[in-house]
Amino acid sequence: QVQLVESGGGLVQAGGSLRLSCTASGRTFGGYTMGWFRQAPGKEREFVASISRGGGTTDYADFVKGRFTVSRDNAKNTVYLQIHSLKPEDTAVYYCAAGGSVMTRQSRQYRSWGQGTQVTVSS
């Protein structure tokens, strides 16, 4: 299984921006579709965004409403999640996950997960 490490979370005021990063080990990063999920206390883990192996196709949850952008740099073994106009309801632990050859919104179809990075948005 590929090892994933997220970074870039933190405390930010509403309306601010964050750029989350997820770096993978190994030399076959380009063989995985990648997904971003988030989970708040007392809530189920929910899909945020996904990106195809080559980075040419993306998928977003409806609540994103244009505020989130997922991208990847396979030469750096890294996938990113750029978040603008943060809202308090965005507060959660954000996870990246490695999938197979087909993009999916279902967390159970991902087999490798990072440790998560905390995003806290204050009013």
Side-chain angles (χ1 to χ4, degrees):
Q1 293 181 310
V2 62
Q3 296 181 36
L4 305 172
V5 179
E6 301 97 333
S7 63
L11 175 63
V12 64
Q13 289 187 312
S17 299
L18 285 173
R19 187 197 195 197
L20 310 184
S21 298
C22 173
T23 300
S25 64
R27 298 177 182 269
T28 59
F29 178 70
Y32 302 94
T33 60
M34 297 296 297
W36 284 97
F37 295 79
R38 70 184 188 183
Q39 187 168 24
K43 300 289 186 179
E44 295 292 323
R45 181 169 52 191
E46 64 179 348
F47 169 79
V48 175
S50 66
I51 188 167
S52 62
R53 291 179 292 179
T57 305
T58 57
D59 183 35
Y60 297 95
D62 289 343
F63 66 76
V64 167
K65 297 182 179 179
R67 298 185 297 118
F68 292 21
T69 301
V70 61
S71 61
R72 68 191 296 165
D73 186 341
N74 288 349
K76 296 181 178 180
N77 276 20
T78 301
V79 62
Y80 305 95
L81 186 68
Q82 181 73 237
I83 313 176
H84 297 290
S85 301
L86 279 158
K87 306 174 181 179
E89 52 262 46
D90 293 322
T91 296
V93 177
Y94 284 71
Y95 300 90
C96 68
S101 61
V102 179
M103 295 168 57
T104 180
R105 296 183 175 189
Q106 300 180 38
S107 62
R108 63 183 175 274
Q109 295 185 347
Y110 293 84
R111 289 292 176 264
S112 298
W113 293 81
Q115 84 290 343
T117 185
Q118 176 71 49
V119 172
T120 303
V121 184
S122 65
S123 299

